[in-house]
């Protein structure tokens, strides 16, 4: 049995503890012990009863490793519905009692997770500072003199203290990234529509998304994977070709603001820290282009003008008209600007956004991802008392444009700056590339090795095994695929239609070669073992295929491909696609790309160039 009092509360560490005999009830007791030590009553607006939550934990029964979040405690921002807990959105007069869970909360519960409670926020999710709440202000986990960040203040702080492995926030203008940067944790802002917003109090419904705070990138992406899924009852849910985190990626092409367009409001330490992070990328082979970021800043300025202020007003119109004095005065002043706007103003904003999108597109398309500071500087709580507006606006410098341009993003800690305050950058990519950008973020975090939040635990030095310890049922066959059958690619439907499920991304042992076979479409790779020491590890996905479907699946496999045994980097062997050497006539050796997706991406870049 594992001792819990100094355990890093990450998902892999909890799974390991459970596998060794620790019970969820013991973990919940430890959660409450840690919460009492932190002693910050402004973190939670509603907290589950400890005995009742222990009873829920006991009801999970024996450890079930097939559930990816079995026994993992988490918190939810109080604009996200949890059945049995009130939703206030930070406004006592708005309070209601939801009878059902938000779609995402239900998904996480189905994966085995346990809800600890509802966290504090800037009222109606309007703010990036975390101080606009009638329920008090959570203390920043690292430095109580600076703001905790918002609007998802409580969610970020509770994760940073290591009380729970992850928490849900929301993100419209940066509420899932700014608090992460201020508290030295990971903040994952998904592609719009990847996580259903059903059961979430809207801020700007067209731009809102649930976000994920976690101590590690791997944990954030694991939660995102468990929570994602198309919801036909949410008009803004989208069917996106979401992919797992690749096991390896080539060095990226990065677009970053040039020196003239970087904004730090006089914080030279932050400027130096950002440049050091870019230097680290270069040292690991990345190509970095520096560009004028003015078009992105112009997009950001639209967020609190015209259409989107009106959208915030529409979300709480009843409160603004019938109970205006129940709305936080700063929030009321911001959203109340909509009362002077016309429909023409809204359309002018929409038209201007489309024009600016055209200006931003070439910069986005020319790189694998954008890299920006997560925040431009730090602000104290006293600074917000003196000026409740300008510091908040400044904190959104590098976040406000992301949702308007329908991009995915992840804020990742990079270790302490020269003065000890936390460094953080945000990696941004096109919608649907959540897995790819997370893989780059994980590598960056492991390279810099920051502590986990406000704890003394170091960031894991190596990526945990993404296949995990998920056992297969006796009627399932693990199958490694390395090409067109991978998720999101043309032949993946041949697996999905037979009831196969994705176990995870992996890499082979470093003694394989990969070839782009002649012919097509569909274009296919061939995986061949190299017995002469010239191979390398190749990215694969491992799927579980019902054994009753194996025969029909194999019947459709054309020569020179076959099903053989593939050795995985962690020492396991599974069945998987291999290629007969006789079929390599006219094939191109693409081993150096490390995987089929990397090769396809290189072809797309080549075509664009």
């Amino acid at each position: 049995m594992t001792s819990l009092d100094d355990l890093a509360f990450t998902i892999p560490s909890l799974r390991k503890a459970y596998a060794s005999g620790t019970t969820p009830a013991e973990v919940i007791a430890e959660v409450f012990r840690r919460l009492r030590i932190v002693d910050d009553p402004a973190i939670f607006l509603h907290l589950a009863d400890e005995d009742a939550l222990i009873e829920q934990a006991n009801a999970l029964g024996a450890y079930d490793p097939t559930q990816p979040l079995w026994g993992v405690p988490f918190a939810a921002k109080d604009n996200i519905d949890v059945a049995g807990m009130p939703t206030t959105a930070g406004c006592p007069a708005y309070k209601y009692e939801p009878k059902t869970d938000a779609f995402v909360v239900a998904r996480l519960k189905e994966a085995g997770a346990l809800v600890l409670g509802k966290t504090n926020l800037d009222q109606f999710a309007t703010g990036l500072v975390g101080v606009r709440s009638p329920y008090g202000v959570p203390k920043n986990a690292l430095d109580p003199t600076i703001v905790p960040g918002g609007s998802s203040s409580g969610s970020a702080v509770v994760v940073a203290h290591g009380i729970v492995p992850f928490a849900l926030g929301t993100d419209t203008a940066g509420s899932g990234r700014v608090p992460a940067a201020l508290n030295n944790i990971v903040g994952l802002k998904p592609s719009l529509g990847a996580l259903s917003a059903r059961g979430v109090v809207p801020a700007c419904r067209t731009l809102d998304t649930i976000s994920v705070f976690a101590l590690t990138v791997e944990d954030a992406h694991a939660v995102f994977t468990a929570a994602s899924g198309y919801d036909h009852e949410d008009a803004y849910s989208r069917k996106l070709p979401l992919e797992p985190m690749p096991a390896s990626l080539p060095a990226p092409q990065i677009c970053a603001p040039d020196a003239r367009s970087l904004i730090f409001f006089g914080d030279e330490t932050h400027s130096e820290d950002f440049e050091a992070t870019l230097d680290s990328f270069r040292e690991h082979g990345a190509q970095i282009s520096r560009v004028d970021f003015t078009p992105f800043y112009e997009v950001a300025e639209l967020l609190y003008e015209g259409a989107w202020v009106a959208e915030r007003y529409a979300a709480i119109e009843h409160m603004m008209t019938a109970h205006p004095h129940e709305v936080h005065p700063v929030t009321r002043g911001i959203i109340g600007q909509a009362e002077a706007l016309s429909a023409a103003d809204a359309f002018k904003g929409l038209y201007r956004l489309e024009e600016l999108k055209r200006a931003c597109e070439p910069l986005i398309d020319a790189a694998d991802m954008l890299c920006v500071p997560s925040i431009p500087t730090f602000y104290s709580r006293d600074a917000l008392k003196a000026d409740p507006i300008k510091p908040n606006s400044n904190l959104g410098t590098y976040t406000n444009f992301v949702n308007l341009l329908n991009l995915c993003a992840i804020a990742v800690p990079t270790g302490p700056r020269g003065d000890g305050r936390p460094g953080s950058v945000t990696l941004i990519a096109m919608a649907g590339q959540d897995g790819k950008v997370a893989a780059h973020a994980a590598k960056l975090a492991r390279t810099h090795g920051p502590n986990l939040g406000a704890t003394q635990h170091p960031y894991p030095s190596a990526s945990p095994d993404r296949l995990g310890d998920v056992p297969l049922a006796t009627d399932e066959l693990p199958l490694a695929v390395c090409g067109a059958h991978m998720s999101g690619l043309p032949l993946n439907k041949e697996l999905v239609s037979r009831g196969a499920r994705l176990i995870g991304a992996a890499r082979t042992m470093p003694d394989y070669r990969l070839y782009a076979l002649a012919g097509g479409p569909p274009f296919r790779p061939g995986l061949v073992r190299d017995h002469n020491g010239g191979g390398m590890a190749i990215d694969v996905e491992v799927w579980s295929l019902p054994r009753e479907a194996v025969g029909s699946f194999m019947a459709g496999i054309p020569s020179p491909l076959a099903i053989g045994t593939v050795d995985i980097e962690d020492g396991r062997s599974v069945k998987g696609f291999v290629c007969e050497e006789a079929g390599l006539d006219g094939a191109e050796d693409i081993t150096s790309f490390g995987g089929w997706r990397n090769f396809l991406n290189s072809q797309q870049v080549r075509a664009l160039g």
Side-chain angles (χ1 to χ4, degrees), residues 262-608:
L262 276 167
I263 300 172
F264 293 105
F265 301 103
D267 190 337
E268 289 302 318
T269 304
H270 216 50
S271 173
E272 293 167 3
D273 190 70
F274 179 65
E275 294 300 330
T277 300
L278 294 182
D279 287 342
S280 175
F281 269 119
R282 290 189 189 94
E283 290 169 5
H284 289 82
Q287 296 181 2
I288 299 177
S289 58
R290 307 298 292 268
V291 301
D292 182 358
F293 246 57
T294 300
F296 294 98
Y297 299 145
E298 291 179 350
V299 171
E301 290 173 0
L302 293 176
L303 192 59
Y304 287 97
E305 299 176 1
W308 298 279
V309 176
E311 190 170 16
R312 286 183 184 271
Y313 186 90
I316 60 167
E317 182 177 11
H318 176 71
M319 294 297 300
M320 291 292 291
T321 55
H323 307 283
H325 296 294
E326 300 288 350
V327 181
H328 191 283
V330 176
T331 304
R332 186 172 69 244
I334 293 168
I335 297 178
Q337 297 175 72
E339 294 172 345
L341 297 172
S342 67
D345 292 322
F347 277 101
K348 288 175 184 177
L350 293 169
Y351 299 154
R352 180 58 177 156
L353 175 59
E354 293 305 311
E355 293 170 356
L356 290 171
K357 282 182 178 179
R358 291 294 177 91
C360 294
E361 281 172 0
L363 305 178
I364 297 169
D365 293 342
D368 295 310
M369 60 187 184
L370 309 179
C371 179
V372 298
S374 296
I375 55 174
T377 188
F378 294 80
Y379 287 101
S380 68
R381 292 172 65 156
D382 287 342
L384 266 296
K385 292 177 183 177
D387 182 352
I389 302 296
K390 190 61 176 177
N392 185 95
S393 176
N394 292 350
L395 283 173
T397 299
Y398 299 108
T399 60
N400 285 352
F401 63 85
V402 173
N403 294 37
L404 284 165
L405 294 176
N406 189 21
L407 304 170
C408 64
I410 185 165
V412 55
T414 56
R417 312 185 318 174
D419 61 358
R421 283 184 167 173
S424 175
V425 299
T426 295
L427 307 182
I428 304 167
M430 290 185 287
Q433 295 189 358
D434 304 74
K436 178 180 173 183
V437 77
H440 286 300
K443 183 176 180 180
L444 178 65
R446 293 194 300 271
T447 298
H448 286 255
N451 282 350
L452 300 178
T455 77
Q456 297 304 306
H457 295 286
Y459 199 96
S461 58
S463 175
D465 172 19
R466 280 196 287 277
L467 288 182
D469 56 351
V470 178
L472 297 171
T474 56
D475 61 348
E476 292 179 317
L477 176 75
L479 184 71
V481 299
C482 60
H485 286 88
M486 297 170 81
S487 55
L489 297 183
L491 299 183
N492 181 245
K493 60 187 177 182
E494 294 184 1
L495 286 169
V496 175
S497 66
R498 289 174 169 83
R501 61 189 177 96
L502 177 63
I503 298 299
R507 291 194 301 176
T508 68
M509 292 291 283
D511 55 356
Y512 285 87
R513 300 198 70 81
L514 191 68
Y515 296 85
L517 302 180
F523 301 103
R524 305 168 187 258
L527 185 68
V528 179
R529 189 183 291 272
D530 187 323
H531 297 285
N532 299 315
M536 64 180 291
I538 302 298
D539 290 347
V540 296
E541 289 179 0
V542 178
W543 288 72
S544 68
L545 181 65
R547 289 183 182 272
E548 64 183 15
V550 170
S552 66
F553 180 75
M554 291 186 64
I557 298 173
S559 177
L561 300 180
I563 299 297
T565 299
V566 176
D567 293 331
I568 302 299
E569 194 174 43
D570 66 1
R572 282 176 281 185
S573 296
V574 297
K575 296 301 178 185
F577 276 88
V578 295
C579 182
E580 300 170 356
E581 292 196 20
L584 299 182
D585 289 344
E588 177 186 357
D589 189 335
I590 59 171
T591 306
S592 62
F593 290 96
W596 185 240
R597 288 192 197 278
N598 296 342
F599 171 70
L600 293 180
N601 290 338
S602 75
Q603 298 298 100
Q604 293 170 1
V605 170
R606 196 178 304 172
L608 288 172

Side-chain angles (χ1 to χ4, degrees), residues 186-198:
V186 174
L188 185 154
K189 197 239 45 113
S191 299
L192 295 181
L195 299 185
S196 170
R198 179 155 56 95

